[in-house]
Each structure stands twice: as structure tokens, then as C-alpha cells.
Amino acid sequence: MSGNLICKNCGTENVAQSAWCEKCLTPFQTYQEEKTLQCPHCFHPNDYNLDHCEVCHEPLKPGQSE
Ligand SMILES: [Zn+2]
Ligand SMILES: [Zn+2]
């Protein structure tokens, strides 16, 4: 099943798994709605574009260190 995402902002075609446009970095709403980053510490489902848990402020993405 092919479902490339066309950026509403700049018209760039991105692969379906993209969380944001590779060109202008506009987040894809449809992807965002179902894709959350679950906090490894408190399991709160955070918005995908957050870097840290909004509840406990744990880093959500690998390779990040404070
Ligand atoms: Zn774009
Ligand atoms: Zn948390």
C-alpha cells in the first residue's frame, strides 16, 4: 500500500512514514494524530513533536541527553 504524503505547505512528496515534511519540516497532521511518543518514565502519551514528556520532563527521543 503506497500512501505518500504531500506537504500542504510546500507540495513536496514525502514517504508515508514521515512525521514531517523533509523540505519545510511542516508536521503531517494525519500522522501526528495517531503517532504519539509514550514517555518511558510515566507512560504519558506525548505529542510526537515534543522532545520531553510534558508530565515528567523525561527525554522522549533516543540519543538525547541533558
Ligand atoms: Zn513541506
Ligand atoms: Zn513522563
Side-chain angles (χ1 to χ4, degrees):
M1 182 171 159
S2 68
N4 284 0
L5 294 166
I6 309 294
C7 177
K8 289 177 300 201
N9 189 47
C10 72
T12 297
E13 190 173 325
N14 293 265
V15 294
Q17 286 80 16
S18 299
W20 47 77
C21 176
E22 63 179 8
K23 192 168 189 178
C24 71
L25 304 182
T26 296
F28 290 122
Q29 220 66 35
T30 52
Y31 187 76
Q32 248 189 340
E33 282 173 9
E34 43 188 275
K35 188 68 177 180
T36 56
L37 281 176
Q38 191 179 46
C39 177
H41 184 74
C42 73
F43 305 107
H44 176 78
N46 291 275
D47 194 284
Y48 190 74
N49 58 23
L50 290 180
D51 289 332
H52 294 80
C53 176
E54 61 185 1
V55 174
C56 71
H57 303 113
E58 279 288 305
L60 296 173
K61 295 173 183 177
Q64 275 189 340
S65 56
E66 289 291 296

Short mmCIF file of all heavy atoms in Angstrom, two decimals:
data_model
loop_
_atom_site.label_atom_id
_atom_site.label_comp_id
_atom_site.label_asym_id
_atom_site.label_seq_id
_atom_site.Cartn_x
_atom_site.Cartn_y
_atom_site.Cartn_z
N MET A 1 0.84 -1.19 0.00
CA MET A 1 0.00 0.00 0.00
C MET A 1 0.89 1.25 0.00
O MET A 1 1.71 1.45 0.89
CB MET A 1 -0.88 -0.02 1.25
CG MET A 1 -1.83 1.15 1.32
SD MET A 1 -3.01 0.95 2.68
CE MET A 1 -3.51 2.65 2.92
N SER A 2 0.75 2.04 -1.02
CA SER A 2 1.55 3.25 -1.10
C SER A 2 0.70 4.45 -0.71
O SER A 2 -0.40 4.63 -1.21
CB SER A 2 2.11 3.43 -2.51
OG SER A 2 1.07 3.71 -3.40
N GLY A 3 1.21 5.23 0.17
CA GLY A 3 0.46 6.39 0.61
C GLY A 3 1.39 7.53 0.91
O GLY A 3 1.56 7.91 2.05
N ASN A 4 2.03 8.01 -0.13
CA ASN A 4 2.94 9.12 0.09
C ASN A 4 2.18 10.36 0.53
O ASN A 4 1.05 10.60 0.15
CB ASN A 4 3.73 9.41 -1.19
CG ASN A 4 4.83 8.38 -1.39
OD1 ASN A 4 5.00 7.47 -0.59
ND2 ASN A 4 5.56 8.52 -2.47
N LEU A 5 2.83 11.12 1.34
CA LEU A 5 2.22 12.32 1.89
C LEU A 5 2.70 13.54 1.12
O LEU A 5 3.89 13.75 0.96
CB LEU A 5 2.60 12.47 3.37
CG LEU A 5 2.06 11.39 4.31
CD1 LEU A 5 2.77 11.44 5.65
CD2 LEU A 5 0.57 11.55 4.50
N ILE A 6 1.72 14.31 0.67
CA ILE A 6 2.06 15.56 0.01
C ILE A 6 1.97 16.69 1.02
O ILE A 6 0.93 16.88 1.65
CB ILE A 6 1.09 15.86 -1.16
CG1 ILE A 6 0.97 14.64 -2.10
CG2 ILE A 6 1.53 17.10 -1.92
CD1 ILE A 6 2.25 14.30 -2.83
N CYS A 7 3.04 17.42 1.15
CA CYS A 7 3.06 18.53 2.10
C CYS A 7 2.09 19.63 1.67
O CYS A 7 2.14 20.08 0.53
CB CYS A 7 4.48 19.09 2.21
SG CYS A 7 4.58 20.52 3.29
N LYS A 8 1.23 20.02 2.59
CA LYS A 8 0.27 21.07 2.29
C LYS A 8 0.96 22.41 2.14
O LYS A 8 0.47 23.32 1.49
CB LYS A 8 -0.77 21.19 3.42
CG LYS A 8 -1.73 20.03 3.49
CD LYS A 8 -2.66 20.18 4.67
CE LYS A 8 -1.88 20.21 5.97
NZ LYS A 8 -2.67 19.86 7.15
N ASN A 9 2.08 22.53 2.76
CA ASN A 9 2.78 23.81 2.79
C ASN A 9 3.61 24.06 1.54
O ASN A 9 3.54 25.12 0.93
CB ASN A 9 3.66 23.88 4.04
CG ASN A 9 4.24 25.25 4.25
OD1 ASN A 9 3.54 26.25 4.17
ND2 ASN A 9 5.53 25.32 4.53
N CYS A 10 4.39 23.06 1.13
CA CYS A 10 5.32 23.29 0.02
C CYS A 10 5.11 22.32 -1.15
O CYS A 10 5.72 22.47 -2.20
CB CYS A 10 6.76 23.20 0.51
SG CYS A 10 7.28 21.53 0.91
N GLY A 11 4.23 21.33 -0.97
CA GLY A 11 3.92 20.43 -2.06
C GLY A 11 4.92 19.30 -2.28
O GLY A 11 4.77 18.50 -3.20
N THR A 12 5.89 19.20 -1.42
CA THR A 12 6.87 18.13 -1.53
C THR A 12 6.25 16.78 -1.18
O THR A 12 5.48 16.67 -0.23
CB THR A 12 8.06 18.40 -0.58
OG1 THR A 12 8.72 19.60 -0.98
CG2 THR A 12 9.06 17.26 -0.61
N GLU A 13 6.59 15.77 -1.98
CA GLU A 13 6.09 14.43 -1.70
C GLU A 13 7.03 13.72 -0.74
O GLU A 13 8.23 13.59 -1.00
CB GLU A 13 5.98 13.65 -3.01
CG GLU A 13 5.25 12.34 -2.86
CD GLU A 13 5.02 11.69 -4.21
OE1 GLU A 13 4.79 12.42 -5.19
OE2 GLU A 13 5.08 10.46 -4.29
N ASN A 14 6.48 13.29 0.36
CA ASN A 14 7.28 12.61 1.38
C ASN A 14 6.83 11.17 1.53
O ASN A 14 5.69 10.84 1.25
CB ASN A 14 7.12 13.32 2.73
CG ASN A 14 7.73 14.71 2.74
OD1 ASN A 14 8.85 14.90 3.14
ND2 ASN A 14 6.97 15.69 2.28
N VAL A 15 7.71 10.32 2.00
CA VAL A 15 7.34 8.93 2.25
C VAL A 15 6.29 8.86 3.35
O VAL A 15 6.23 9.71 4.23
CB VAL A 15 8.56 8.06 2.63
CG1 VAL A 15 9.53 7.96 1.46
CG2 VAL A 15 9.26 8.60 3.86
N ALA A 16 5.47 7.84 3.28
CA ALA A 16 4.28 7.74 4.15
C ALA A 16 4.62 7.75 5.63
O ALA A 16 3.81 8.15 6.44
CB ALA A 16 3.50 6.50 3.80
N GLN A 17 5.80 7.29 5.95
CA GLN A 17 6.14 7.20 7.37
C GLN A 17 6.67 8.51 7.95
O GLN A 17 6.97 8.58 9.13
CB GLN A 17 7.20 6.10 7.60
CG GLN A 17 6.64 4.69 7.49
CD GLN A 17 6.48 4.25 6.05
OE1 GLN A 17 7.05 4.86 5.15
NE2 GLN A 17 5.69 3.21 5.82
N SER A 18 6.79 9.50 7.10
CA SER A 18 7.36 10.76 7.58
C SER A 18 6.49 11.41 8.63
O SER A 18 5.28 11.43 8.53
CB SER A 18 7.53 11.74 6.42
OG SER A 18 8.39 11.22 5.45
N ALA A 19 7.12 11.92 9.65
CA ALA A 19 6.39 12.65 10.68
C ALA A 19 6.25 14.11 10.29
O ALA A 19 5.35 14.79 10.75
CB ALA A 19 7.09 12.52 12.02
N TRP A 20 7.16 14.57 9.43
CA TRP A 20 7.10 15.95 8.97
C TRP A 20 7.73 16.03 7.60
O TRP A 20 8.47 15.14 7.17
CB TRP A 20 7.81 16.88 9.95
CG TRP A 20 9.15 16.38 10.38
CD1 TRP A 20 10.30 16.43 9.65
CD2 TRP A 20 9.49 15.73 11.61
NE1 TRP A 20 11.33 15.86 10.35
CE2 TRP A 20 10.86 15.42 11.56
CE3 TRP A 20 8.75 15.40 12.74
CZ2 TRP A 20 11.51 14.78 12.62
CZ3 TRP A 20 9.41 14.77 13.77
CH2 TRP A 20 10.77 14.47 13.72
N CYS A 21 7.42 17.11 6.91
CA CYS A 21 7.96 17.33 5.57
C CYS A 21 9.48 17.42 5.60
O CYS A 21 10.05 18.15 6.40
CB CYS A 21 7.37 18.61 4.99
SG CYS A 21 8.05 19.04 3.38
N GLU A 22 10.12 16.67 4.72
CA GLU A 22 11.57 16.68 4.72
C GLU A 22 12.14 18.00 4.22
O GLU A 22 13.30 18.32 4.44
CB GLU A 22 12.11 15.53 3.86
CG GLU A 22 11.72 15.64 2.40
CD GLU A 22 12.29 14.48 1.57
OE1 GLU A 22 12.84 13.54 2.17
OE2 GLU A 22 12.19 14.55 0.33
N LYS A 23 11.32 18.76 3.55
CA LYS A 23 11.80 20.02 2.99
C LYS A 23 11.55 21.21 3.91
O LYS A 23 12.47 21.96 4.22
CB LYS A 23 11.14 20.27 1.63
CG LYS A 23 11.77 21.40 0.85
CD LYS A 23 11.26 21.41 -0.59
CE LYS A 23 12.05 22.40 -1.43
NZ LYS A 23 11.61 22.41 -2.84
N CYS A 24 10.31 21.37 4.33
CA CYS A 24 9.98 22.56 5.12
C CYS A 24 9.67 22.23 6.59
O CYS A 24 9.39 23.12 7.37
CB CYS A 24 8.82 23.31 4.49
SG CYS A 24 7.24 22.46 4.64
N LEU A 25 9.71 20.93 6.93
CA LEU A 25 9.55 20.47 8.31
C LEU A 25 8.15 20.71 8.88
O LEU A 25 7.96 20.69 10.09
CB LEU A 25 10.61 21.10 9.22
CG LEU A 25 12.06 20.86 8.80
CD1 LEU A 25 13.01 21.48 9.80
CD2 LEU A 25 12.36 19.37 8.66
N THR A 26 7.17 20.91 7.99
CA THR A 26 5.80 21.01 8.47
C THR A 26 5.33 19.63 8.95
O THR A 26 5.45 18.66 8.22
CB THR A 26 4.87 21.49 7.33
OG1 THR A 26 5.25 22.81 6.96
CG2 THR A 26 3.41 21.49 7.77
N PRO A 27 4.82 19.54 10.16
CA PRO A 27 4.32 18.25 10.65
C PRO A 27 3.09 17.79 9.88
O PRO A 27 2.24 18.62 9.51
CB PRO A 27 3.96 18.52 12.11
CG PRO A 27 4.31 19.92 12.41
CD PRO A 27 4.65 20.62 11.12
N PHE A 28 3.00 16.50 9.63
CA PHE A 28 1.82 15.95 8.96
C PHE A 28 0.75 15.62 9.98
O PHE A 28 0.93 14.76 10.82
CB PHE A 28 2.21 14.72 8.15
CG PHE A 28 3.05 15.05 6.95
CD1 PHE A 28 4.30 14.49 6.81
CD2 PHE A 28 2.59 15.92 5.98
CE1 PHE A 28 5.08 14.79 5.71
CE2 PHE A 28 3.37 16.24 4.88
CZ PHE A 28 4.62 15.67 4.74
N GLN A 29 -0.36 16.30 9.87
CA GLN A 29 -1.42 16.19 10.86
C GLN A 29 -1.94 14.75 11.01
O GLN A 29 -2.10 14.26 12.10
CB GLN A 29 -2.59 17.11 10.46
CG GLN A 29 -3.19 17.82 11.66
CD GLN A 29 -2.22 18.80 12.30
OE1 GLN A 29 -1.43 19.43 11.60
NE2 GLN A 29 -2.23 18.93 13.60
N THR A 30 -2.19 14.10 9.88
CA THR A 30 -2.76 12.76 9.93
C THR A 30 -1.83 11.80 10.66
O THR A 30 -2.27 10.95 11.41
CB THR A 30 -3.02 12.22 8.52
OG1 THR A 30 -1.83 12.36 7.76
CG2 THR A 30 -4.15 12.98 7.84
N TYR A 31 -0.57 11.97 10.43
CA TYR A 31 0.41 11.11 11.08
C TYR A 31 0.48 11.43 12.56
O TYR A 31 0.49 10.55 13.40
CB TYR A 31 1.77 11.33 10.43
CG TYR A 31 2.82 10.36 10.92
CD1 TYR A 31 2.82 9.04 10.48
CD2 TYR A 31 3.79 10.76 11.82
CE1 TYR A 31 3.78 8.16 10.93
CE2 TYR A 31 4.75 9.89 12.27
CZ TYR A 31 4.75 8.58 11.82
OH TYR A 31 5.71 7.71 12.28
N GLN A 32 0.48 12.69 12.85
CA GLN A 32 0.60 13.14 14.23
C GLN A 32 -0.53 12.65 15.11
O GLN A 32 -0.32 12.31 16.26
CB GLN A 32 0.57 14.67 14.25
CG GLN A 32 1.90 15.25 14.67
CD GLN A 32 1.79 16.74 14.91
OE1 GLN A 32 0.88 17.39 14.44
NE2 GLN A 32 2.71 17.28 15.63
N GLU A 33 -1.73 12.61 14.55
CA GLU A 33 -2.89 12.23 15.36
C GLU A 33 -2.76 10.84 15.94
O GLU A 33 -3.16 10.58 17.06
CB GLU A 33 -4.15 12.32 14.51
CG GLU A 33 -4.63 13.75 14.35
CD GLU A 33 -5.78 13.86 13.38
OE1 GLU A 33 -6.31 12.81 12.98
OE2 GLU A 33 -6.12 14.99 13.02
N GLU A 34 -2.21 9.94 15.15
CA GLU A 34 -2.12 8.57 15.65
C GLU A 34 -0.75 8.25 16.23
O GLU A 34 -0.59 7.25 16.91
CB GLU A 34 -2.46 7.58 14.53
CG GLU A 34 -1.84 7.93 13.20
CD GLU A 34 -2.39 7.01 12.12
OE1 GLU A 34 -1.83 5.92 11.98
OE2 GLU A 34 -3.35 7.39 11.43
N LYS A 35 0.21 9.11 15.95
CA LYS A 35 1.56 8.83 16.41
C LYS A 35 1.88 9.66 17.63
O LYS A 35 2.00 10.88 17.56
CB LYS A 35 2.56 9.11 15.28
CG LYS A 35 3.96 8.65 15.61
CD LYS A 35 4.06 7.14 15.68
CE LYS A 35 5.50 6.72 15.93
NZ LYS A 35 5.63 5.25 16.01
N THR A 36 2.02 9.00 18.73
CA THR A 36 2.41 9.71 19.94
C THR A 36 3.69 9.08 20.47
O THR A 36 4.00 7.93 20.19
CB THR A 36 1.32 9.63 21.02
OG1 THR A 36 1.03 8.27 21.27
CG2 THR A 36 0.08 10.37 20.59
N LEU A 37 4.39 9.83 21.23
CA LEU A 37 5.57 9.32 21.91
C LEU A 37 5.21 9.03 23.35
O LEU A 37 4.93 9.94 24.12
CB LEU A 37 6.70 10.35 21.85
CG LEU A 37 7.48 10.46 20.55
CD1 LEU A 37 8.48 11.60 20.66
CD2 LEU A 37 8.20 9.17 20.23
N GLN A 38 5.20 7.76 23.68
CA GLN A 38 4.87 7.41 25.05
C GLN A 38 6.10 7.59 25.93
O GLN A 38 7.18 7.11 25.60
CB GLN A 38 4.38 5.97 25.10
CG GLN A 38 3.76 5.63 26.45
CD GLN A 38 3.25 4.20 26.48
OE1 GLN A 38 3.91 3.28 26.07
NE2 GLN A 38 2.03 4.03 26.97
N CYS A 39 5.90 8.27 27.01
CA CYS A 39 7.00 8.50 27.93
C CYS A 39 7.49 7.19 28.53
O CYS A 39 6.70 6.39 29.04
CB CYS A 39 6.54 9.44 29.05
SG CYS A 39 7.82 9.71 30.29
N PRO A 40 8.80 6.94 28.48
CA PRO A 40 9.35 5.71 29.05
C PRO A 40 9.29 5.72 30.58
O PRO A 40 9.45 4.68 31.21
CB PRO A 40 10.80 5.69 28.55
CG PRO A 40 11.12 7.11 28.26
CD PRO A 40 9.83 7.77 27.84
N HIS A 41 9.06 6.87 31.12
CA HIS A 41 9.09 7.00 32.58
C HIS A 41 7.69 6.91 33.20
O HIS A 41 7.44 6.14 34.11
CB HIS A 41 9.76 8.32 32.95
CG HIS A 41 9.94 8.52 34.43
ND1 HIS A 41 10.90 7.84 35.15
CD2 HIS A 41 9.28 9.31 35.32
CE1 HIS A 41 10.81 8.21 36.43
NE2 HIS A 41 9.84 9.10 36.55
N CYS A 42 6.75 7.71 32.68
CA CYS A 42 5.42 7.77 33.29
C CYS A 42 4.32 7.27 32.35
O CYS A 42 3.16 7.21 32.71
CB CYS A 42 5.10 9.19 33.75
SG CYS A 42 4.76 10.33 32.39
N PHE A 43 4.73 6.91 31.11
CA PHE A 43 3.82 6.34 30.10
C PHE A 43 2.75 7.31 29.62
O PHE A 43 1.76 6.91 29.03
CB PHE A 43 3.17 5.04 30.61
CG PHE A 43 4.19 4.03 31.05
CD1 PHE A 43 4.38 3.76 32.39
CD2 PHE A 43 4.97 3.38 30.11
CE1 PHE A 43 5.33 2.83 32.79
CE2 PHE A 43 5.93 2.45 30.50
CZ PHE A 43 6.11 2.17 31.85
N HIS A 44 2.96 8.56 29.84
CA HIS A 44 2.04 9.56 29.29
C HIS A 44 2.25 9.66 27.79
O HIS A 44 3.38 9.77 27.33
CB HIS A 44 2.30 10.91 29.95
CG HIS A 44 1.47 12.03 29.39
ND1 HIS A 44 0.14 12.19 29.72
CD2 HIS A 44 1.77 13.00 28.48
CE1 HIS A 44 -0.33 13.24 29.05
NE2 HIS A 44 0.62 13.75 28.30
N PRO A 45 1.17 9.60 26.99
CA PRO A 45 1.31 9.77 25.54
C PRO A 45 1.52 11.23 25.17
O PRO A 45 0.60 12.03 25.27
CB PRO A 45 -0.02 9.23 24.99
CG PRO A 45 -0.99 9.39 26.10
CD PRO A 45 -0.21 9.34 27.39
N ASN A 46 2.72 11.53 24.73
CA ASN A 46 3.05 12.91 24.37
C ASN A 46 2.91 13.13 22.88
O ASN A 46 3.02 12.20 22.08
CB ASN A 46 4.49 13.21 24.78
CG ASN A 46 4.66 13.27 26.28
OD1 ASN A 46 4.43 14.28 26.91
ND2 ASN A 46 5.06 12.14 26.85
N ASP A 47 2.69 14.36 22.50
CA ASP A 47 2.68 14.71 21.10
C ASP A 47 4.03 14.36 20.48
O ASP A 47 5.07 14.49 21.12
CB ASP A 47 2.43 16.23 20.97
CG ASP A 47 2.06 16.60 19.55
OD1 ASP A 47 2.96 16.64 18.70
OD2 ASP A 47 0.87 16.84 19.32
N TYR A 48 3.97 13.90 19.22
CA TYR A 48 5.16 13.38 18.58
C TYR A 48 6.29 14.40 18.46
O TYR A 48 7.45 14.04 18.45
CB TYR A 48 4.79 12.86 17.19
CG TYR A 48 5.91 12.08 16.54
CD1 TYR A 48 6.22 10.79 16.96
CD2 TYR A 48 6.67 12.64 15.51
CE1 TYR A 48 7.25 10.07 16.39
CE2 TYR A 48 7.71 11.93 14.92
CZ TYR A 48 7.99 10.64 15.37
OH TYR A 48 9.01 9.95 14.80
N ASN A 49 5.94 15.67 18.35
CA ASN A 49 6.99 16.66 18.13
C ASN A 49 7.55 17.24 19.44
O ASN A 49 8.38 18.14 19.42
CB ASN A 49 6.53 17.79 17.19
CG ASN A 49 5.30 18.49 17.70
OD1 ASN A 49 5.02 18.48 18.89
ND2 ASN A 49 4.55 19.10 16.81
N LEU A 50 7.11 16.68 20.55
CA LEU A 50 7.71 17.10 21.82
C LEU A 50 9.02 16.35 22.04
O LEU A 50 9.16 15.20 21.68
CB LEU A 50 6.75 16.81 22.98
CG LEU A 50 5.49 17.66 23.05
CD1 LEU A 50 4.65 17.24 24.25
CD2 LEU A 50 5.83 19.14 23.15
N ASP A 51 9.95 17.02 22.63
CA ASP A 51 11.24 16.40 22.91
C ASP A 51 11.27 15.79 24.31
O ASP A 51 11.99 14.84 24.58
CB ASP A 51 12.37 17.43 22.81
CG ASP A 51 12.63 17.85 21.38
OD1 ASP A 51 12.37 17.04 20.47
OD2 ASP A 51 13.09 18.98 21.18
N HIS A 52 10.46 16.37 25.18
CA HIS A 52 10.44 15.90 26.56
C HIS A 52 9.00 15.67 26.99
O HIS A 52 8.09 16.35 26.54
CB HIS A 52 11.09 16.92 27.48
CG HIS A 52 12.56 17.11 27.23
ND1 HIS A 52 13.05 17.89 26.22
CD2 HIS A 52 13.64 16.57 27.85
CE1 HIS A 52 14.38 17.85 26.24
NE2 HIS A 52 14.76 17.05 27.20
N CYS A 53 8.81 14.72 27.89
CA CYS A 53 7.48 14.44 28.42
C CYS A 53 6.89 15.69 29.06
O CYS A 53 7.56 16.36 29.85
CB CYS A 53 7.59 13.30 29.44
SG CYS A 53 6.01 12.95 30.24
N GLU A 54 5.63 15.97 28.72
CA GLU A 54 5.03 17.18 29.28
C GLU A 54 4.62 16.98 30.73
O GLU A 54 4.28 17.92 31.42
CB GLU A 54 3.84 17.61 28.43
CG GLU A 54 2.72 16.58 28.35
CD GLU A 54 1.64 17.03 27.39
OE1 GLU A 54 1.77 18.11 26.79
OE2 GLU A 54 0.66 16.29 27.23
N VAL A 55 4.64 15.76 31.20
CA VAL A 55 4.29 15.49 32.59
C VAL A 55 5.52 15.44 33.48
O VAL A 55 5.62 16.14 34.47
CB VAL A 55 3.50 14.17 32.70
CG1 VAL A 55 3.25 13.81 34.17
CG2 VAL A 55 2.16 14.30 31.97
N CYS A 56 6.49 14.61 33.10
CA CYS A 56 7.64 14.40 33.99
C CYS A 56 8.95 14.92 33.40
O CYS A 56 9.99 14.84 34.03
CB CYS A 56 7.77 12.92 34.34
SG CYS A 56 8.32 11.90 32.96
N HIS A 57 8.88 15.44 32.16
CA HIS A 57 10.03 16.05 31.51
C HIS A 57 11.19 15.09 31.21
O HIS A 57 12.32 15.52 31.03
CB HIS A 57 10.53 17.26 32.30
CG HIS A 57 9.45 18.30 32.51
ND1 HIS A 57 8.94 18.58 33.75
CD2 HIS A 57 8.78 19.06 31.65
CE1 HIS A 57 7.99 19.50 33.62
NE2 HIS A 57 7.86 19.81 32.35
N GLU A 58 10.89 13.82 31.14
CA GLU A 58 11.88 12.86 30.68
C GLU A 58 12.10 13.07 29.19
O GLU A 58 11.17 13.37 28.46
CB GLU A 58 11.37 11.43 30.91
CG GLU A 58 11.55 10.92 32.31
CD GLU A 58 12.99 10.61 32.63
OE1 GLU A 58 13.61 9.83 31.90
OE2 GLU A 58 13.50 11.15 33.64
N PRO A 59 13.35 12.90 28.71
CA PRO A 59 13.59 12.95 27.27
C PRO A 59 12.85 11.81 26.57
O PRO A 59 12.84 10.68 27.06
CB PRO A 59 15.10 12.77 27.13
CG PRO A 59 15.66 12.99 28.50
CD PRO A 59 14.57 12.69 29.48
N LEU A 60 12.20 12.12 25.44
CA LEU A 60 11.37 11.11 24.77
C LEU A 60 12.07 10.45 23.60
O LEU A 60 11.69 9.39 23.15
CB LEU A 60 10.10 11.78 24.25
CG LEU A 60 9.17 12.34 25.33
CD1 LEU A 60 8.03 13.11 24.67
CD2 LEU A 60 8.62 11.23 26.19
N LYS A 61 13.08 11.09 23.08
CA LYS A 61 13.75 10.55 21.90
C LYS A 61 15.13 10.03 22.23
O LYS A 61 15.84 10.61 23.04
CB LYS A 61 13.81 11.64 20.82
CG LYS A 61 12.41 12.02 20.34
CD LYS A 61 12.43 13.20 19.40
CE LYS A 61 11.00 13.58 19.02
NZ LYS A 61 10.93 14.76 18.16
N PRO A 62 15.49 8.90 21.62
CA PRO A 62 16.79 8.32 21.90
C PRO A 62 17.92 9.24 21.48
O PRO A 62 17.80 10.00 20.52
CB PRO A 62 16.80 7.01 21.09
CG PRO A 62 15.74 7.21 20.06
CD PRO A 62 14.73 8.14 20.66
N GLY A 63 19.01 9.16 22.17
CA GLY A 63 20.17 9.95 21.82
C GLY A 63 20.14 11.35 22.39
O GLY A 63 21.02 12.15 22.11
N GLN A 64 19.13 11.62 23.19
CA GLN A 64 19.08 12.95 23.79
C GLN A 64 19.58 12.89 25.22
O GLN A 64 19.23 12.01 25.99
CB GLN A 64 17.64 13.46 23.81
CG GLN A 64 17.25 14.13 22.53
CD GLN A 64 15.89 14.81 22.68
OE1 GLN A 64 15.13 14.48 23.57
NE2 GLN A 64 15.62 15.76 21.82
N SER A 65 20.37 13.81 25.55
CA SER A 65 20.81 13.90 26.94
C SER A 65 20.88 15.35 27.35
O SER A 65 21.23 16.21 26.55
CB SER A 65 22.16 13.21 27.12
OG SER A 65 23.10 13.77 26.25
N GLU A 66 20.55 15.58 28.54
CA GLU A 66 20.58 16.93 29.05
C GLU A 66 21.96 17.28 29.59
O GLU A 66 22.51 16.52 30.34
CB GLU A 66 19.54 17.09 30.16
CG GLU A 66 18.13 17.06 29.63
CD GLU A 66 17.83 18.33 28.80
OE1 GLU A 66 17.85 19.44 29.36
OE2 GLU A 66 17.60 18.19 27.60
ZN ZN B 1 6.83 20.92 3.01
ZN ZN B 2 6.74 11.22 31.58
#
